[in-house]
Amino acid sequence: MQRPEESTDATRSERPQRTIVKLARYRDENFISTYSCFFTGPINDEEPHTFEEEKENKEWELAMDDEMKALEKNQTWSLVPKPKDVQPVSCKWVYKIKRKADGSVERYKARLVARGFSQKYGEDHEETFSPIAKMISVRMVLTLTTLHDRKLWQLECVLIWGAG
Amino acid sequence: MCKLKKTLYGLKQTPRAWYGKISQYLQFCGYQASDSYPSLFVKKQGSLHFVVLLYVDDMIITGNDATEVEKLQDELASDLISRS
């Protein structure tokens, strides 16, 4: 399957891009090596921001192939000629390095995302509300489970954005 | 141009589509979404009762019959790709 390329910079300018400045302690090598296991965010800037930046890199190349295979397996889309009156939603690649607790690289992850901020309510989509449990309800279920001496199971679904 | 048959990360409809899919699946398994709290699913079967609480892609399940819950867990794993 052919990989969709990112749209040109015409749409990029619609959205303000922020510059990320790290706090001083996150630039301190000593601090990083001592406390790396507590970090949730990236501690360095190895993640490319655009398709152009990574093009030549083998790890990202493989990561994108993986994502494409998953999308293909899921039968995410079919290729159609563009109807006259529609404005397609553009897409882009997002690159993420998954790290282990000690900060070493676990895997390179590339995800193809839709740039949904161009969608308009009523025109491109209708309802978007999705009910989610409040934390207080989670605690209530946990409490009831304990009170009644029941067993509890926890599970997580993957690839949920490929739903329906 | 690509015509999407499934949702993609980043679309406005994605969270809604996921809720639609998981709630439909749980209903198929005999769970009823609570009217006043739609992320809570309940199943009653004689003296057995089960509760599923949904937090986007994460859920906790409890009930008074372990085999039934494990069955649901297996079904979710094969039909919807989950990991416990």
Side-chain angles (χ1 to χ4, degrees):
Chain A
M1 186 156 55
Q2 207 199 335
R3 197 156 60 204
E5 296 218 355
E6 279 183 19
S7 48
T8 48
D9 278 345
T11 46
R12 179 168 292 274
S13 57
E14 287 167 21
R15 205 187 194 199
Q17 300 286 315
R18 62 192 178 128
T19 29
I20 301 163
V21 180
K22 282 181 284 187
L23 293 172
R25 62 174 175 276
Y26 295 118
R27 280 178 261 140
D28 178 356
E29 283 299 323
N30 203 18
F31 180 83
I32 290 170
S33 56
T34 317
Y35 299 110
S36 66
C37 58
F38 296 116
F39 292 159
T40 53
I43 50 175
N44 49 33
D45 275 328
E46 287 166 37
E47 289 158 354
H49 297 296
T50 64
F51 184 71
E52 286 299 310
E53 276 174 54
E54 73 68 52
K55 246 171 29 186
E56 313 282 286
N57 194 315
K58 203 158 166 250
E59 279 93 7
W60 295 119
E61 212 35 58
L62 289 170
M64 284 195 292
D65 281 348
D66 271 357
E67 172 81 348
M68 286 309 292
K69 273 182 207 140
L71 290 166
E72 199 168 1
K73 196 171 155 239
N74 220 351
Q75 300 189 351
T76 313
W77 64 69
S78 57
L79 285 171
V80 294
K82 178 183 161 323
K84 260 199 211 121
D85 51 344
V86 300
Q87 184 63 49
V89 175
S90 56
C91 64
K92 71 168 285 178
W93 285 95
V94 172
Y95 306 99
K96 201 88 206 153
I97 296 174
K98 294 279 174 184
R99 291 177 187 282
K100 293 180 190 158
D102 63 0
S104 64
V105 176
E106 189 180 333
R107 73 187 198 97
Y108 290 80
K109 192 175 164 64
R111 181 180 286 167
L112 186 70
V113 302
R115 306 170 94 199
F117 53 85
S118 70
Q119 293 176 287
K120 290 193 188 77
Y121 179 80
E123 215 169 287
D124 307 292
H125 67 92
E126 297 289 341
E127 293 300 310
T128 55
F129 180 71
S130 174
I132 291 164
K134 285 184 184 178
M135 270 309 137
I136 187 79
S137 319
V138 175
R139 284 200 290 269
M140 199 185 76
V141 171
L142 295 178
T143 312
L144 286 169
T145 310
T146 327
L147 275 175
H148 290 92
D149 201 21
R150 296 272 157 78
K151 229 179 128 180
L152 190 83
W153 292 261
Q154 190 268 329
L155 52 146
E156 188 205 349
C157 295
V158 293
L159 285 173
I160 64 161
W161 48 91
Chain B
M1 194 178 98
C2 299
K3 182 181 180 181
L4 291 174
K5 291 192 259 181
K6 304 279 171 64
T7 52
L8 214 55
Y9 192 94
L11 285 175
K12 302 258 192 203
Q13 303 93 319
T14 305
R16 180 76 175 186
W18 163 248
Y19 177 77
K21 187 173 184 178
I22 186 76
S23 59
Q24 198 183 16
Y25 188 81
L26 288 169
Q27 257 163 44
F28 171 75
C29 296
Y31 289 80
Q32 199 66 51
S34 158
D35 284 336
S36 52
Y37 206 78
S39 60
L40 185 77
F41 294 83
V42 187
K43 181 182 182 175
K44 282 180 194 150
Q45 209 174 54
S47 63
L48 302 178
H49 49 263
F50 308 94
V51 170
V52 173
L53 191 66
L54 193 66
Y55 188 87
V56 195
D57 59 343
D58 234 306
M59 61 187 98
I60 49 175
I61 311 171
T62 185
N64 53 0
D65 185 62
T67 44
E68 182 69 28
V69 177
E70 271 149 24
K71 206 180 100 193
L72 176 71
Q73 219 174 354
D74 289 344
E75 282 168 351
L76 276 169
S78 58
D79 296 339
L80 284 172
I81 323 176
S82 73
R83 57 169 178 235
S84 43

